[in-house]
Amino acid sequence: MIPPLDELLHARSGPMTADMVLHPADFGLGRVPARLKPAATTNSVCGFCSTGCSLTIHLNANGEAINLSANRDYPVNLGMACPKGWEALTPLAAPDRATTPLLRVKKSGALAPVSWKRALAAFTEHFKRTQRDHGPHSIAFLSTGQIVMEEMALLGALFKFGMGALHCDSNTRQCMATSHVAYKQSFGFDAPPYTYADFEESDALIFIGANPCIAHPIMWQRVMMNKRKPEIVVVDPRATETAQAATLHVVLRPKSDLTLLYGLAHLLIARGAVKKDFIAAHTTNYDAFAAFVATFTPQHTAAETGVPVATLHRLVEIIATREHVSFWWTMGVNQSHEATRTAQAIINLALMTGHIGRPGTGANSITGQCNAMGSRLFGNATSLLGGYDFAKPEHREHVGKILGLAPAQIPDHNGYAYDQILDAIDRGEIRALWVIATNPAHSWINQTRAKEILGKLDFLVVQDMYATTETARMADLVLPAAGWGEKEGILINSERRLGLVKKVARAPGQALSDFAIFQLVAEAWGCGELFRAWSSPEATFQILKQLSAGQPCDFSGIRDYAHIETSGGIQWPFNAAEAAVCSMEDERCQMERPEPSSITHRNSSIQQRRLFADGKFFHADGRAKFLFDPPRPMPEPPDTEYPFILLTGRGSSSQWHTGSRTDKSAVLRKLAPTVLTVEIHPDDAERLGLSAGDRATIRSRRGEAEAIAVVTATVQRGQIFLPMHFEAVNRLTFPSFDPHSRQPSYKACAVAVAKR
Ligand SMILES: Nc1nc2c(c(=O)[nH]1)N[C@H]1C(S)=C(S)[C@@H](COP(=O)(O)OP(=O)(O)OC[C@H]3O[C@@H](n4cnc5c(=O)[nH]c(N)nc54)[C@H](O)[C@@H]3O)O[C@H]1N2
Ligand SMILES: Nc1nc2c(c(=O)[nH]1)N[C@H]1C(S)=C(S)[C@@H](COP(=O)(O)OP(=O)(O)OC[C@H]3O[C@@H](n4cnc5c(=O)[nH]c(N)nc54)[C@H](O)[C@@H]3O)O[C@H]1N2
Ligand code: SF4
Ligand SMILES: [Mo]
């Protein structure tokens, strides 16, 4: 039963009246007064990155969080946390939290506080009117990889099955769409194959377009725990912190990865270092691939990538002679004009050398946000709930049966991707947009146009923890949301581990969990009946379990939240049969004795599961597929007017994306520059008369940004680097998209630099 609005507000905070807007400080969040001693602790998985560290939350006598520490007994982080994790409670207490719904007043143009009742009425009135006047598909939503799985699923189901709409996407498009498509095409399902023990069990780790020192610091700590003296190879145009710690830094021209990877395949074949038995038994399309890479000679590869032939040979030597080789990639690959084929070129290397399904191996995509994996499986955007296909009648029927829906209530084709939604707004086809837990007016590519497009909407709803984000400031209606720590649910980390988030703080004022907001919208819309069984996050989890059953992501063997908690998280797949054979030891499930690893003595009873140990992939024929295409030139190469290539990415381990959360912590702000900085090579700086600390102007064909010069040889000549955490950066970026994943290519465009 979905509780009525009054009850929701009542239950979470005692009787609520309009004039009773509480402030976060009332809840004792933030710094812990010395006199406060924790009365108890509880564990909760971190809500920033996909590492999925467990944090031990210290509670006062009222059960409210007063501090936290890193959980020593969790198989992911083993007592470690990065600065964002340590500061995870602080952003909850920020003074700019959205504490009441806000509606734009027509006359003054300002946002004014309104009741939830009024806000919900405004929501349904505008969205229904838009659908009536412009058709059912004139409304859309953009959501996130940063809310719990149950919330994502309820939103996607509400929108497509309840509101009868089609076009929705999430910021996972900016991030993991490439991995999703690449795995689906190559393996038959979106399935990152690894477990974190592989960081320690590899003899060689090859990172391509990934900077885990900064972006996944606790995964990097796991690499540092590797006792095998591994080769650590970093393929990155920049000498990142990770590259500086590597045994081999392969400095390549931006966006030349595809050629490099084909060149490596060519050399592996030439040297006879391919596993013919594995290829014959478990893959398809290898012969065509081998013929295709014949032209990628070392000379050609070196000329195209800028990587010396000797370095190519050294890298091939590592791949060919080390027994446990793992390949890892992140946004340097996923954000490219030919991203899907590049990710698949990495997968091809793992397949042809048999470096998959064994300890310390794999073609491993590192996920970005805390629940990007949950959104890939249960966002109901690109895939039907549970990784099913909207276009397949048998899938619609199966999902419909579980959810009590007629197959006709489930769309039989996919809606628009993120960029297509924006284009449709531009054309006037989509007129109302609901933005949940993402900040497109900062993070989307080519901001000048993005903001123009958002400005064209008849009605923009933003559901966020803060009313101050770039997007919230443009909204017609702001819905105040509870954040991580103020609600419960499941996040799925990079190694497919389901982890539990706990409610340890009260949301400020009238802010509600996204789950409760979706329930209220369903009621206000008049389709609440459809979601009676989705009465709480945990009840929803039970439904999602059923949806997962029989899929590669099957986790139907998990009993409930408590089972996840006492097991130290549970990796999918975990079906009923697997659960049955699990011997319970200390309430912990032991699926498979992990292979020798430096952590096994600490976590001997915790399952570490990787996929494909049996060589069986998820295509109907059980085989993985070699996929490839000729490389294409970068969409906007540098020229005389715009002679630099702009690289963008994460700036520091203490900054998160658009800064709405991390900028609220004084501690985190001290750990990184608070103004935009541009990294530029000393030779280029000298030519431009730029010294360290000077103000520089960076211009592209689309916009301009000002930044303080950091003169450093970590970037190559002719390239500059800007951290994405500042709004100005995406004024410069060039909107090009991978044709398969439609993921934006944020990491390369042409710019000019001048001293200001
Ligand atoms: N502190 C912090 N951590 C985070 C995040 C955050 O905002 N802050 N965000 C999280 C999210 S959502 C994500 S997706 C991940 C991202 O994690 P990463 O992908 O590791 O981080 P990025 O800095 O975006 O990009 C990685 C590297 O790609 C390189 N690169 C650029 N162009 C190319 C190229 O053509 N080829 C190659 N080989 N490399 C290239 C860049 O120089 C950069 O060093 O981080 C997650 N973790
Ligand atoms: N130039 C450049 N641009 C990039 C990238 C790049 O490398 N270079 N990387 C891209 C990538 S990989 C990503 S993932 C995106 C990220 O881009 P965004 O998703 O736009 O960035 P965030 O700052 O994480 O935005 C999340 C929003 O959700 C809010 N929020 C947090 N928790 C909750 C919650 O529980 N409920 C609700 N309702 N709101 C919540 C936060 O306050 C914040 O406003 O940026 C992309 N943009
Ligand atoms: S590494 Fe990621 S999951 Fe772990 S504490 Fe830091 S932000 Fe949280
Ligand atoms: Mo991301």
Side-chain angles (χ1 to χ4, degrees):
M1 185 55 196
I2 299 171
L5 171 60
D6 286 349
E7 216 172 284
L8 270 173
L9 291 171
H10 205 82
R12 47 166 295 289
S13 54
M16 177 73 66
T17 56
D19 58 347
M20 199 177 146
V21 174
L22 303 174
H23 287 284
D26 299 339
F27 308 134
L29 296 179
R31 294 289 70 117
V32 189
R35 63 193 154 75
L36 270 180
K37 286 269 183 310
T41 61
T42 189
N43 297 318
S44 185
V45 170
C46 176
F48 283 103
C49 88
S50 70
T51 306
C53 299
S54 174
L55 304 171
T56 299
I57 317 285
H58 305 227
L59 306 168
N60 67 15
N62 298 327
E64 289 163 346
I66 50 171
N67 204 348
L68 60 77
S69 53
N71 185 349
R72 278 174 302 181
D73 297 323
Y74 202 66
V76 167
N77 51 317
L78 314 170
M80 301 176 281
C82 85
K84 296 184 296 302
W86 284 104
E87 276 296 287
L89 291 168
T90 308
L92 301 180
D96 62 338
R97 282 297 297 273
T99 54
T100 165
L102 301 169
L103 187 62
R104 199 165 291 283
V105 182
K106 272 215 181 86
K107 264 196 190 147
S108 67
L111 283 167
V114 291
S115 69
W116 268 107
K117 246 181 204 145
R118 176 78 193 92
L120 291 163
F123 182 100
T124 46
E125 184 190 311
H126 280 93
F127 273 63
K128 283 195 173 197
R129 189 196 307 145
T130 305
Q131 280 190 317
R132 198 181 58 228
D133 294 350
H134 303 282
H137 305 318
S138 56
I139 64 173
F141 79 66
L142 293 173
S143 163
T144 187
Q146 291 180 63
I147 56 177
V148 295
M149 180 170 83
E150 296 81 351
E151 293 176 339
M152 292 169 172
L154 178 54
L155 169 64
L158 163 65
F159 192 74
K160 288 199 173 170
F161 312 147
M163 295 166 68
L166 180 65
H167 302 308
C168 60
D169 205 351
S170 81
N171 62 7
T172 332
R173 182 73 60 180
Q174 294 159 287
C175 184
M176 302 313 298
T178 294
S179 298
H180 176 87
V181 177
Y183 278 141
K184 210 167 163 183
Q185 292 180 348
S186 295
F187 292 163
F189 196 80
D190 177 10
Y194 59 100
T195 186
Y196 291 162
D198 290 323
F199 284 123
E200 291 164 64
E201 291 165 2
S202 300
D203 302 321
L205 299 105
I206 300 174
F207 291 94
I208 304 157
N211 188 10
C213 272
I214 293 297
H216 297 94
I218 303 307
M219 290 193 203
W220 182 249
Q221 289 304 313
R222 297 290 298 268
V223 176
M224 292 293 96
M225 288 165 71
N226 185 316
K227 300 233 162 61
R228 297 166 189 260
K229 296 202 169 62
E231 289 280 358
I232 302 176
V233 179
V234 172
V235 180
D236 196 307
R238 287 193 304 140
T240 59
E241 295 76 356
T242 314
Q244 289 173 35
T247 56
L248 175 63
H249 176 200
V250 178
V251 186
L252 82 173
R253 276 190 202 119
K255 301 295 151 277
S256 66
D257 301 68
L258 193 53
T259 301
L260 173 72
L261 295 161
Y262 290 154
L264 297 176
H266 173 105
L267 277 176
L268 286 163
I269 293 168
R271 174 188 169 125
V274 290
K275 290 269 181 337
K276 293 221 166 87
D277 294 352
F278 183 89
I279 293 169
H282 303 298
T283 71
T284 54
N285 211 27
Y286 173 72
D287 290 342
F289 175 66
F292 169 77
V293 296
T295 55
F296 289 83
T297 61
Q299 292 68 29
H300 170 77
T301 305
E304 292 291 312
T305 62
V307 178
V309 171
T311 308
L312 297 176
H313 282 294
R314 184 162 165 216
L315 187 43
V316 163
E317 174 81 15
I318 291 170
I319 299 171
T321 58
R322 297 279 174 144
E323 211 174 314
H324 302 271
V325 179
S326 53
F327 300 86
W328 308 85
W329 82 85
T330 319
M331 290 308 119
V333 169
N334 280 9
Q335 297 171 342
S336 148
H337 64 290
E338 50 193 8
T340 302
R341 291 295 179 251
T342 306
Q344 287 165 337
I346 298 171
I347 294 171
N348 294 348
L349 286 183
L351 292 173
M352 70 195 287
T353 52
H355 286 310
I356 192 148
R358 293 182 291 113
T361 65
N364 304 331
S365 151
I366 300 176
T367 309
Q369 306 165 82
C370 54
N371 201 19
M373 194 68 230
S375 112
R376 284 145 78 176
L377 293 175
F378 286 104
N380 211 29
T382 309
S383 301
L384 176 56
L385 291 174
Y388 286 99
D389 198 334
F390 282 103
K392 293 195 173 138
E394 66 276 20
H395 285 189
R396 295 199 300 279
E397 194 180 314
H398 176 74
V399 169
K401 214 173 255 166
I402 293 172
L403 300 182
L405 297 171
Q409 282 175 282
I410 302 179
D412 62 4
H413 59 287
N414 276 344
Y416 292 152
Y418 201 133
D419 64 306
Q420 296 163 325
I421 289 175
L422 292 187
D423 286 346
I425 297 171
D426 203 12
R427 291 194 299 273
E429 182 184 323
I430 290 174
R431 290 169 171 263
L433 181 69
W434 184 10
V435 174
I436 303 109
T438 185
N439 188 7
H442 174 141
S443 61
W444 189 247
I445 204 158
N446 189 14
Q447 267 306 309
T448 311
R449 176 160 183 261
K451 286 207 186 69
E452 267 168 33
I453 290 174
L454 291 175
K456 284 187 172 184
L457 286 160
D458 293 342
F459 201 63
L460 172 63
V461 180
V462 174
Q463 181 168 321
D464 204 288
M465 292 168 67
Y466 306 97
T468 48
T469 69
E470 288 87 350
T471 316
R473 280 188 255 126
M474 299 181 73
D476 299 294
L477 176 66
V478 176
L479 301 178
W484 171 90
E486 297 167 341
K487 54 187 183 177
E488 61 175 3
I490 298 294
L491 306 175
I492 308 183
N493 80 352
S494 269
E495 47 159 10
R496 312 178 316 285
R497 187 181 301 272
L498 283 76
L500 188 60
V501 173
K502 298 264 192 60
K503 181 173 175 177
V504 292
R506 278 169 42 171
Q510 300 190 29
L512 291 171
S513 71
D514 294 289
F515 193 88
I517 298 174
F518 301 143
Q519 286 181 310
L520 290 172
V521 170
E523 290 301 326
W525 194 269
C527 61
E529 238 2 91
L530 276 182
F531 302 101
R532 284 290 170 258
W534 308 55
S535 56
S536 68
E538 193 159 9
T540 301
F541 175 72
Q542 294 298 337
I543 297 172
L544 304 187
K545 261 171 64 178
Q546 287 180 55
L547 286 165
S548 78
Q551 286 288 79
C553 62
D554 194 336
F555 53 81
S556 59
I558 300 176
R559 282 191 308 276
D560 50 19
Y561 282 177
H563 190 189
I564 293 176
E565 178 158 33
T566 52
S567 307
I570 297 178
Q571 286 168 292
W572 64 256
F574 191 84
N575 62 24
E578 282 165 315
V581 292
C582 272
S583 62
M584 298 307 284
E585 175 196 302
D586 269 339
E587 288 275 321
R588 283 182 171 164
C589 168
Q590 180 183 13
M591 250 317 281
E592 153 198 320
R593 279 275 169 199
E595 299 75 8
S597 137
S598 60
I599 59 150
T600 49
H601 67 280
R602 297 172 65 176
N603 291 286
S604 59
S605 63
I606 291 168
Q607 78 272 26
Q608 292 284 347
R609 238 167 314 151
R610 68 185 58 80
L611 303 177
F612 312 132
D614 55 2
K616 285 211 181 80
F617 294 89
F618 298 122
H619 282 300
D621 61 4
R623 289 162 179 270
K625 199 167 181 178
F626 282 88
L627 289 157
F628 52 90
D629 263 331
R632 290 181 287 118
M634 142 187 343
E636 194 190 44
D639 56 17
T640 46
E641 200 181 342
Y642 297 97
F644 286 88
I645 295 179
L646 167 64
L647 305 172
T648 68
R650 275 73 199 156
S652 75
S653 67
S654 55
Q655 291 164 297
W656 181 259
H657 294 164
T658 75
S660 67
R661 285 193 277 169
T662 44
D663 283 356
K664 309 296 155 58
S665 155
V667 173
L668 296 180
R669 273 205 318 273
K670 284 202 178 95
L671 295 174
T674 49
V675 292
L676 181 61
T677 52
V678 54
E679 289 173 27
I680 184 162
H681 191 277
D683 292 352
D684 289 329
E686 193 184 331
R687 210 163 29 80
L688 297 169
L690 269 176
S691 304
D694 282 352
R695 278 157 35 145
T697 304
I698 301 130
R699 277 185 307 109
S700 77
R701 290 185 177 83
R702 296 152 295 281
E704 192 175 299
E706 186 186 323
I708 302 295
V710 173
V711 179
T712 166
T714 54
V715 286
Q716 297 180 59
R717 290 176 194 82
Q719 297 170 24
I720 61 166
F721 176 78
L722 291 175
M724 63 162 295
H725 313 292
F726 297 84
E727 190 266 334
V729 174
N730 278 321
R731 285 184 219 151
L732 303 166
T733 45
F734 176 77
S736 80
F737 303 90
D738 175 78
H740 304 279
S741 68
R742 302 219 64 76
Q743 182 159 340
S745 178
Y746 284 108
K747 292 207 182 330
C749 70
V751 293
V753 184
K755 186 173 172 171
R756 234 181 136 78

